């Protein structure tokens, strides 16, 4: 079904800001940045740019795939961009996609690559990449050095295959916005290339499994073009909200919201807020509502951008998630009973306890039944107690649970989908030490009337962070842990995958060091890396793709 068949009206509701907390001073001024650069030892080969990088696993196409077919989508420079429109380029599916079969199902792996350079004095800046108003990538730039920096990001965007395959004739638009400021003290201009790399299944392409392959239609929930800013909504306080209005195709049988979120200004370091001194405290959540009813939430990973606290903490190994911010999925399928009536429905976004400013937008992924003009759906049960939160002078805790069960009658049978989300949050603030942990579990299970499991995905996440600041030393230790178990007749991808990455960054006087371990284990392959830097130099770097003994059955190194 063509994107144009879905009416979409975007509404942004801004409310008068409330109380604004006084943030800690965890950012250097341009003068301080220049002083740091002058005091620090010059990087090796300082006559050229220094390479910064975020530790991540390499992306491999499935066995038997052809490619890559690489297409430069946009090349642009970003100087003073505030109050100016994004850089844009017309998009058409690469010719190699037509040669491979033309449709989204031909794509076995799609990788969006961002490669950029910058030289001079500049803050890190947030950037976004959108295709037809649907966000594909959000990241932070590197904070440059006098002799320049270079970095790249490669993101798996296979789930957006239907967008990549649409737009024949150049009717689609790629938009890139880097929120940058150039003046007498800030001289850095960001120069970026955006490239798409496609890999293809052997011909003829396989029929994707229902409900778990890339969505048939992706509806953008952003402010859209034209505008003089990024396409994200700006959430400025706890009472603020943004919303998009959508009318679903009548044959929808699954719906998932993919949420993009980042935090800036007075809330960039929300997790350091003291519960006693700040009206907002250190707890944040992004809520997703359908016609005012809570559908689910995202409790964000505390990304620290490359200039946060002290830029040396993230040079040359940048913080977890800083170049490629994580996204969050909220399953709407159990609520289809109220959305498949042919009428417009409002999907809203808000940030609990927000202080100016959060950037939020989303993509609505829809799966359409090819065997029916219309599906039918209903809600079986829905439980969503109020957020449970408690704060003392030094500790903040919170928990939430959301669960819903709904059925959809389709050509695949009567599918009952059970969705659960549970969250737990603990933040202890002892002045110059902050210790925080966020634990999240999300589960979705779809079964038939005969009890057969069509697909089941259970994901557990853990986001620990410890910040310790002494008179002459700052240390940040944090991790990103995620385990996913999948099963069912329609299941695709590895039935088991686990990511454990831990990073410790420390600055003492004019010396700094970073160590990060990264371990990915799955039933279709593994990746391990242990890398340490001192100053700008990498002092040890060990990696392999060999699965360790004890990895779940079926794993094998590539």
């Amino acid at each position: 079904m063509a994107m144009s068949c879905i009416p979409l009206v975007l509404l942004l509701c801004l409310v008068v800001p409330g109380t604004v907390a006084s943030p800690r001073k965890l950012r250097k001024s341009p003068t301080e940045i220049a002083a740091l650069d002058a005091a620090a030892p010059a990087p090796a080969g300082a006559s050229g740019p220094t390479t910064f990088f975020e530790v991540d696993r390499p992306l491999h196409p499935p066995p038997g795939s052809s490619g890559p077919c690489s297409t430069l989508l946009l090349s642009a420079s970003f100087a003073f961009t505030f109050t100016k429109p994004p850089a844009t380029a017309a998009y058409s599916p690469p010719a190699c996609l037509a040669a491979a079969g033309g449709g989204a199902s031909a794509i076995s792996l799609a990788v969006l690559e961002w490669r950029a350079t910058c030289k001079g004095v500049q803050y890190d800046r947030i950037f976004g990449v959108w295709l037809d108003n649907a966000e594909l990538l959000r990241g932070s730039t590197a904070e440059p050095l006098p002799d320049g920096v270079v970095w790249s990001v490669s993101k798996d965007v296979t789930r957006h295959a239907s967008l990549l395959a649409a737009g024949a004739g150049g009717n689609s638009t790629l938009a890139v916005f880097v929120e940058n400021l150039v003046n007498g003290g800030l001289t850095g201009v960001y120069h970026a290339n955006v490239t798409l790399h496609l890999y293809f299944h052997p011909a003829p392409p396989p029929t994707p499994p229902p409900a778990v392959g890339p969505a048939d239609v992706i509806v953008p929930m952003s402010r859209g073009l034209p505008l003089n800013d990024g396409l994200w909504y700006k959430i400025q306080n706890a009472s603020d909200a943004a919303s998009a209005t959508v009318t679903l195709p009548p044959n929808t049988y699954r719906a998932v919201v993919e949420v993009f979120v980042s935090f800036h200004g007075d809330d960039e370091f929300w997790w350091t807020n003291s519960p006693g001194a700040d009206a907002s405290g250190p707890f944040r959540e992004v809520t997703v509502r359908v016609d005012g009813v809570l559908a689910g939430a995202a409790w964000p990973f505390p990304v620290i951008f490359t200039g946060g606290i002290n830029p040396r903490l993230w040079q040359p190994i940048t913080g977890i998630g800083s170049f490629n911010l994580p996204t969050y999925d909220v399953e709407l399928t159990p609520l289809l009973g109220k959305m498949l009536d042919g009428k417009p429905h409002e999907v809203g976004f808000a940030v609990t306890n927000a202080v100016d400013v959060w950037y939020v937008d989303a993509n609505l992924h829809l799966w359409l039944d090819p065997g029916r003009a219309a599906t039918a759906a209903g809600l079986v049960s829905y439980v969503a107690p109020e957020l449970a939160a408690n704060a003392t002078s030094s500790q903040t805790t919170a928990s939430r649970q959301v669960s819903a069960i709904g059925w959809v009658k389709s050509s695949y049978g009567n599918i009952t989908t059970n969705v659960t989300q549970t969250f737990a949050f603990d933040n202890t603030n002892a002045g110059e030490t902050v210790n925080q942990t966020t634990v999240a579990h999300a589960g979705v299970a779809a079964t038939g009337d005969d009890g057969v499991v069509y697909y089941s995905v259970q994901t557990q996440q853990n986001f620990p962070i410890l910040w310790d600041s002494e008179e002459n030393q700052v240390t940040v230790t944090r991790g990103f842990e995620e385990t996913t178990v999948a099963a069912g007749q329609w299941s695709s991808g590895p039935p088991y995958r686990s990511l454990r990455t831990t990073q410790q960054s420390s600055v003492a006087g004019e010396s700094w060091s970073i160590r990060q371990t990264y371990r990915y284990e799955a039933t279709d392959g593994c990746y391990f890396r242990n890398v340490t830097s001192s100053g700008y130099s990498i002092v040890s770097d060990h990696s392999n793709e060999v699965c360790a003994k004890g990895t779940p059955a079926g794993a094998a190194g590539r």
Side-chain angles (χ1 to χ4, degrees), residues 337-356:
K338 66 180 299 181
M339 300 180 73
L340 288 175
D341 56 3
K343 299 178 181 178
H345 293 271
E346 183 181 72
V347 181
F349 307 93
V351 181
T352 303
N353 297 333
V355 174
D356 196 11

Side-chain angles (χ1 to χ4, degrees), residues 532-557:
T532 302
S533 66
S534 178
Y536 295 108
S537 301
I538 301 298
V539 296
S540 66
D541 192 356
H542 305 283
S543 64
N544 64 64
E545 296 186 71
V546 177
C547 290
K549 185 177 180 180
T551 298

Side-chain angles (χ1 to χ4, degrees), residues 237-262:
N237 56 69
S239 300
D240 201 356
S243 64
T245 300
V246 60
T247 301
L248 297 189
N251 60 336
T252 300
Y253 70 96
R254 188 184 183 194
V256 174
V257 173
E258 173 195 21
V259 181
F260 287 76
V261 59
S262 56

Side-chain angles (χ1 to χ4, degrees), residues 30 36 44 97 111 176 382 404-405 443:
L36 278 172
L97 178 57
V111 178
V176 177
Y382 170 84
I405 302 175

Side-chain angles (χ1 to χ4, degrees), residues 240-304:
D240 201 356
S243 64
T245 300
V246 60
T247 301
L248 297 189
N251 60 336
T252 300
Y253 70 96
R254 188 184 183 194
V256 174
V257 173
E258 173 195 21
V259 181
F260 287 76
V261 59
S262 56
F263 23 86
H264 311 278
D266 290 336
D267 237 6
E268 181 177 347
F269 304 100
W270 49 271
W271 48 276
T272 68
N273 288 346
S274 168
D278 299 304
S280 60
F283 171 74
R284 300 290 184 273
E285 71 170 350
V286 181
T287 57
V288 179
R289 297 178 185 272
V290 175
D291 295 333
V293 175
L294 181 69
W299 288 22
F301 175 76
V303 175
I304 303 176

Side-chain angles (χ1 to χ4, degrees), residues 27 33 37 49-54 78 114-127 138-153 178-181 186-192 304-308 310-319 321-325 536:
R27 275 225 169 255
I33 293 172
D37 290 335
T50 301
T51 299
F52 288 1
F53 62 96
E54 180 180 341
F78 300 89
W114 165 281
R115 184 173 295 273
T117 63
C118 189
K119 182 178 181 179
V121 177
Q122 190 55 265
Y123 286 121
D124 53 11
R125 300 297 185 181
I126 196 70
F127 72 86
R138 187 177 303 188
S140 165
T141 66
E143 188 153 305
L145 301 174
D147 289 304
V149 294
V150 59
W151 81 100
S152 64
V153 180
V178 181
E179 195 173 68
N180 196 28
L181 175 66
L186 297 169
T187 61
V189 176
Y190 288 102
H191 308 279
I304 303 176
F305 304 127
T306 55
N310 185 315
R312 298 292 176 259
L313 290 166
W314 325 113
Q315 300 175 350
I317 306 171
T318 68
S322 58
F323 283 170
N324 182 6
L325 272 69
Y536 295 108

